[in-house]
Amino acid sequence: MGYEFSFYKEEDFEEIEQLVLASYNLEYPVWGLSRQEFTFGLHPAFTGHYHAFEHTVGVYKEGDKIVAVVMNEGNYDGEVFFLFDSQERGEDRELLIEMIKFSKTNASGIKEDRRTRYVKLHVPEWNQTLLELVEKSGFTKEEWGESLYILPFKEESFEVKLPEGYTFADGNTTPDFYLSNTHRLSFGYGADDYACDHGEQAFHDLRLMKHYRKDLDICVLDELKRPVAMAIIWYVDGMPYCELEPLAVVWWERRKGIATALLHEAANRVMKLSPTCTGMLGGDQQYYRSIGYEKKAVIPRYYWELEVFISWEKESYGRDYANEM
């Protein structure tokens, strides 16, 4: 193979991010800017997996240039994404075979039985070469695929309507724990979750990411100026749309229109920043569809697993796992 392999190093981040930004020219990417910044910024402190990227992300270079990456969210959970510097690179069969092998070995997850290794690989529909190879190597298509929903921007501003006495505040004034508190009280993690005590540090780290903007980190405050909702928007000039990650509303403030007002406020801010931005990426839930988000793409996901016995167990005798991959 004409490529040099290395495990991810911190100094690779910005060059990899250039691959992420370039991918908007190929497709609707499932690994976009928000996923890159959110995952690397939040997940280490949020999960306690401070070295997962260095252990499980594979980097391929041609000369001194990074041209392909086996990426994941730093959770040791076997979910994998491939990045390339061009569509032609993404169809290099020899490279793809090597990336699939790395996914099955160093990037795979393991089930609770401590035996079954598995991979969930996102395969964009444009990459028919990758599709052919993953099917040949034992992957099967899952019923679920990642659907991308975008709220289209129009010429006029969105209506912003908060409950009486509620106000907006952004990253220029809000402390880190406003974000972690709102997130915790929205998604229900508690004392047994690592993120309960480390969420504040995680959001602090997220706010240090290169493309974080204080004015696009927006909270809603109640009548007593306590945070009850939050959203962060990610955008770089040249992206066709901005991206939401995350959105949270505390459980006792739901069904009041707060999330919609928050997203509309964020959209209006982005529209003022960049008239070329055409919309906002959101989530694949009924709520987003109900407020006008439209499905633009589905990225299929393919699944592989292999039961691997410990070397001294009799079931492992005579097994050639290399050939079974």
Side-chain angles (χ1 to χ4, degrees), residues 66-131:
I66 295 175
V67 297
V69 182
V70 177
M71 182 60 73
N72 63 71
E73 295 187 327
N75 293 333
Y76 298 103
D77 64 357
E79 190 158 19
V80 175
F81 310 79
F82 287 179
L83 300 175
F84 306 100
D85 67 339
S86 68
Q87 183 169 340
E88 292 74 22
R89 189 85 61 187
E91 296 170 344
D92 183 328
R93 300 177 72 90
E94 186 178 14
L95 174 62
L96 292 176
I97 290 169
E98 160 57 29
M99 294 173 76
I100 292 169
K101 179 180 178 181
F102 180 82
S103 301
K104 290 180 173 181
T105 53
N106 288 269
S108 62
I110 187 166
K111 291 185 177 180
E112 292 182 0
D113 64 6
R114 313 284 290 186
R115 292 176 174 174
T116 306
R117 271 66 174 176
Y118 67 90
V119 176
K120 298 178 180 181
L121 176 60
H122 294 255
V123 180
E125 292 186 340
W126 65 264
N127 200 332
Q128 293 299 302
T129 305
L130 177 58
L131 172 58

Side-chain angles (χ1 to χ4, degrees), residues 25 107 126 191 202 269 317:
N25 297 320
W126 65 264
R269 293 189 185 196
Y317 298 166

Side-chain angles (χ1 to χ4, degrees), residues 172-184:
N172 288 291
T173 59
T174 54
D176 301 329
F177 85 91
Y178 275 25
L179 305 186
S180 57
N181 259 21
T182 305
H183 200 266
R184 174 174 60 86

Side-chain angles (χ1 to χ4, degrees), residues 41 44 50 65 156 187 238 256:
Y50 281 95
K65 178 187 176 186
E156 65 274 12
F187 294 104
K256 295 182 179 181

Side-chain angles (χ1 to χ4, degrees), residues 26-231:
L26 299 178
E27 54 171 336
Y28 287 99
V30 69
W31 187 275
L33 178 69
S34 60
R35 208 162 201 157
Q36 174 82 358
E37 298 263 312
F38 185 82
T39 296
F40 278 83
L42 185 98
H43 279 187
F46 203 75
T47 65
H49 299 152
Y50 281 95
H51 304 290
F53 298 116
E54 288 85 350
H55 298 166
T56 61
V57 170
V59 176
Y60 297 84
K61 290 186 177 181
E62 188 174 61
D64 294 330
K65 178 187 176 186
I66 295 175
V67 297
V69 182
V70 177
M71 182 60 73
N72 63 71
E73 295 187 327
N75 293 333
Y76 298 103
D77 64 357
E79 190 158 19
V80 175
F81 310 79
F82 287 179
L83 300 175
F84 306 100
D85 67 339
S86 68
Q87 183 169 340
E88 292 74 22
R89 189 85 61 187
E91 296 170 344
D92 183 328
R93 300 177 72 90
E94 186 178 14
L95 174 62
L96 292 176
I97 290 169
E98 160 57 29
M99 294 173 76
I100 292 169
K101 179 180 178 181
F102 180 82
S103 301
K104 290 180 173 181
T105 53
N106 288 269
S108 62
I110 187 166
K111 291 185 177 180
E112 292 182 0
D113 64 6
R114 313 284 290 186
R115 292 176 174 174
T116 306
R117 271 66 174 176
Y118 67 90
V119 176
K120 298 178 180 181
L121 176 60
H122 294 255
V123 180
E125 292 186 340
W126 65 264
N127 200 332
Q128 293 299 302
T129 305
L130 177 58
L131 172 58
E132 173 195 341
L133 292 173
V134 298
E135 289 181 334
K136 282 184 177 179
S137 63
F139 284 80
T140 57
K141 187 177 182 179
E142 296 185 311
E143 290 186 9
W144 181 87
E146 183 137 356
S147 297
L148 305 185
Y149 283 84
I150 294 176
L151 177 68
F153 290 170
K154 302 175 183 178
E155 291 187 6
E156 65 274 12
S157 298
F158 289 92
E159 179 185 25
V160 178
K161 188 176 181 181
L162 283 175
E164 185 175 355
Y166 287 53
T167 55
F168 293 112
D170 62 28
N172 288 291
T173 59
T174 54
D176 301 329
F177 85 91
Y178 275 25
L179 305 186
S180 57
N181 259 21
T182 305
H183 200 266
R184 174 174 60 86
L185 294 167
S186 174
F187 294 104
Y189 52 93
D192 293 334
D193 295 298
Y194 188 87
C196 186
D197 201 40
H198 298 273
E200 180 178 0
Q201 182 64 51
F203 278 98
H204 172 80
D205 295 343
L206 182 62
R207 283 176 154 182
L208 299 177
M209 298 304 290
K210 178 179 179 180
H211 296 296
Y212 165 82
R213 293 183 59 115
K214 292 181 179 180
D215 55 338
L216 299 182
D217 167 3
I218 311 170
C219 281
V220 174
L221 309 181
D222 68 11
E223 308 98 322
L224 296 179
K225 305 303 180 186
R226 296 172 299 209
V228 295
M230 56 83 69

